[in-house]
Amino acid sequence: GAVVSQHPSWVICKSGTSVKIECRSLDFQATTMFWYRQFPKQSLMLMATSNEGSKATYEQGVEKDKFLINHASLTLSTLTVTSAHPEDSSFYICSASGTGGLQETQYFGPGTRLLVL
Amino acid sequence: GENVEQHPSTLSVQEGDSAVIKCTYSDSASNYFPWYKQELGKGPQLIIDIRSNVGEKKDQRIAVTLNKTAKHFSLHITETQPEDSAVYFCAAKYSGNQFYFGTGTSLTVIP
């Protein structure tokens, strides 16, 4: 149980284009979803927290207009990187927490590797 | 805010030996401490967790200990195997459901 998927697993795009990453909880309802960014050999950097039906809460230094987060249902959250630039290239990982016994921890997706040319 | 320190940053052990990774946290209100294993190119996977009302928890070859007074917790892996090689992250839960993560330990098990 508590499986989280991400799509796509990797994406290459041209500078200036937008990229959407999907995060889905497959076997539980995710009341809260988190988006992280991870650089090589570094820890996880929280970008934003989103609750279903509410606007995302962004961490300091994360541009909300550049990283659009939508959590429209209890099983789906999306991260859209708008007008992507090479410096946005990174490994993006989502996580989700649910209700009841799944409320306490975060279950991570497999990650999406973004390369902006 | 919360600060989680993790040591060592890299650890190499011979297959069959034990590995210990230590973390300290600063917020005494933290009450939940998960450990994640991240293999190359993949997302972190929860391997064990402990709550603040428990001092030790064990799951087969993996155990976690918590010292609330000293604000530190440790991951113990016994009888290590090559497939244990990965990066391990500790975390401490603070406000709401957010986690502070340690900086990671790259474990290499040498066959």
Side-chain angles (χ1 to χ4, degrees):
Chain A
V3 179
V4 177
S5 70
Q6 272 184 251
H7 178 80
S9 56
W10 60 270
V11 56
I12 302 174
C13 70
K14 293 182 178 180
S15 185
T17 61
S18 294
V19 175
K20 179 183 283 189
I21 302 170
E22 292 186 349
C23 176
R24 294 182 184 273
S25 57
L26 299 185
D27 54 0
F28 69 102
Q29 293 186 326
T31 51
T32 307
M33 284 186 167
F34 305 82
W35 286 95
Y36 293 85
R37 186 173 178 176
Q38 187 177 36
F39 292 103
K41 298 186 178 182
Q42 292 191 23
S43 189
L44 301 154
M45 184 188 80
L46 180 65
M47 299 175 66
T49 302
S50 72
N51 293 296
E52 185 263 339
S54 302
K55 288 184 178 180
T57 300
Y58 290 81
E59 295 299 299
Q60 192 172 12
V62 178
E63 300 176 57
K64 64 175 72 175
D65 294 332
K66 180 166 187 62
F67 298 100
L68 301 178
I69 292 172
N70 184 279
H71 190 169
S73 77
L74 284 172
T75 59
L76 174 64
S77 176
T78 60
L79 167 67
T80 301
V81 183
T82 62
S83 187
H85 288 95
E87 56 266 30
D88 298 324
S89 299
S90 191
F91 192 51
Y92 293 88
I93 315 173
C94 71
S95 70
S97 61
T99 57
L102 300 179
Q103 184 179 31
E104 196 158 39
T105 198
Q106 294 181 27
Y107 299 92
F108 284 84
T112 297
R113 188 161 302 282
L114 169 64
L115 177 61
V116 184
L117 302 177
Chain B
E2 177 65 282
N3 182 41
V4 177
E5 294 187 1
Q6 183 171 347
H7 299 281
S9 57
T10 60
L11 178 61
S12 292
V13 299
Q14 289 290 139
E15 182 177 358
D17 288 350
S18 296
V20 180
I21 303 170
K22 299 181 179 181
C23 287
T24 60
Y25 61 100
S26 58
D27 189 347
S28 58
S30 295
N31 59 8
Y32 176 72
F33 308 91
W35 284 90
Y36 290 89
K37 174 183 180 183
Q38 185 177 27
E39 297 178 341
L40 191 63
K42 298 183 179 180
Q45 179 184 15
L46 178 70
I47 57 172
I48 197 167
D49 56 13
I50 192 167
R51 294 167 182 80
S52 58
N53 59 348
V54 176
E56 183 175 358
K57 183 177 178 180
K58 189 174 182 179
D59 182 4
Q60 299 183 334
R61 297 188 296 108
I62 295 173
V64 57
T65 58
L66 171 65
N67 184 325
K68 283 179 58 179
T69 303
K71 295 182 191 171
H72 64 71
F73 55 112
S74 301
L75 177 70
H76 305 253
I77 306 174
T78 58
E79 301 173 30
T80 54
Q81 301 167 4
E83 51 265 39
D84 294 329
S85 296
V87 178
Y88 292 81
F89 290 99
C90 63
K93 182 179 178 181
Y94 63 109
S95 62
N97 201 28
Q98 291 188 344
F99 291 178
Y100 264 118
F101 285 89
T103 49
T105 296
S106 178
L107 172 65
T108 301
V109 180
I110 304 167

